[in-house]
Structures are given as C-alpha cells and as structure tokens.
C-alpha cells in the first residue's frame, strides 16, 4: 500500500475535516474516492467527446425503435 502526502492550507483543512465528519468518512476514504471520481469524470468526458465527434446526426423515433424491437 502506498502513502501519499497532501499539503493544504488551514482553511481548506478545516473545510475537508468538517465534510468528512458530516459524511462519516476518513480522510483516506475521502481522498481516494475524490481522486478516483475525478479520473472517472475525465474518462467519461473523453468518451462523450469521442461519441459526439463520431455522431452522424441520424436519429430514430420512439415509434421506429419500438417497432424494431417488437414492442
């Protein structure tokens, strides 16, 4: 397991400690979740941008979709 050190000012420290206390988290849990969510958000944004770039503008109506799946 790796240990990381984070340097923050006193005001940010107080804010973070109040937040984790309110949500019943440890500093490690909060930091881990926050970092992984940030990575996931950036990945999701990259996927969205790629999909938008590949979008050909063709749309299927609800009715056509239902018919295609026999609904």
């Amino acid at each position: 397991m790796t240990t990381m050190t984070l340097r923050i000012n006193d005001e940010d420290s107080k804010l973070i400690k109040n937040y984790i206390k309110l949500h019943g988290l440890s500093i490690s849990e909060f930091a881990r979740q926050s970092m992984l969510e940030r990575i996931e958000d950036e990945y999701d944004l990259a996927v969205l941008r790629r999909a938008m770039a590949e979008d050909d503008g063709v749309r299927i109506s609800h009715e056509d979709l239902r018919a295609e799946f026999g609904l």
Side-chain angles (χ1 to χ4, degrees):
M1 186 174 293
T2 301
T3 300
M4 296 182 164
T5 302
L6 176 66
R7 297 185 194 282
I8 56 174
N9 64 41
D10 292 338
E11 185 178 327
D12 290 344
S13 175
K14 185 177 177 181
L15 179 65
I16 291 167
K17 286 178 182 178
N18 287 336
Y19 181 88
I20 64 173
K21 183 177 179 182
L22 178 67
H23 292 279
L25 299 168
S26 69
I27 291 176
S28 292
E29 289 171 322
F30 175 66
R32 180 182 175 280
Q33 287 176 3
S34 297
M35 288 185 271
L36 292 176
E37 286 175 12
R38 174 77 182 260
I39 292 167
E40 183 180 357
D41 289 348
E42 288 190 25
Y43 174 79
D44 291 345
L45 182 58
V47 169
L48 173 63
R49 287 182 175 154
R50 187 170 56 245
M52 289 174 67
E54 295 171 359
D55 183 10
D56 61 5
V58 175
R59 302 294 183 261
I60 301 171
S61 71
H62 288 108
E63 293 79 19
D64 290 345
L65 186 63
R66 285 188 198 116
E68 183 175 333
F69 288 100
L71 302 172

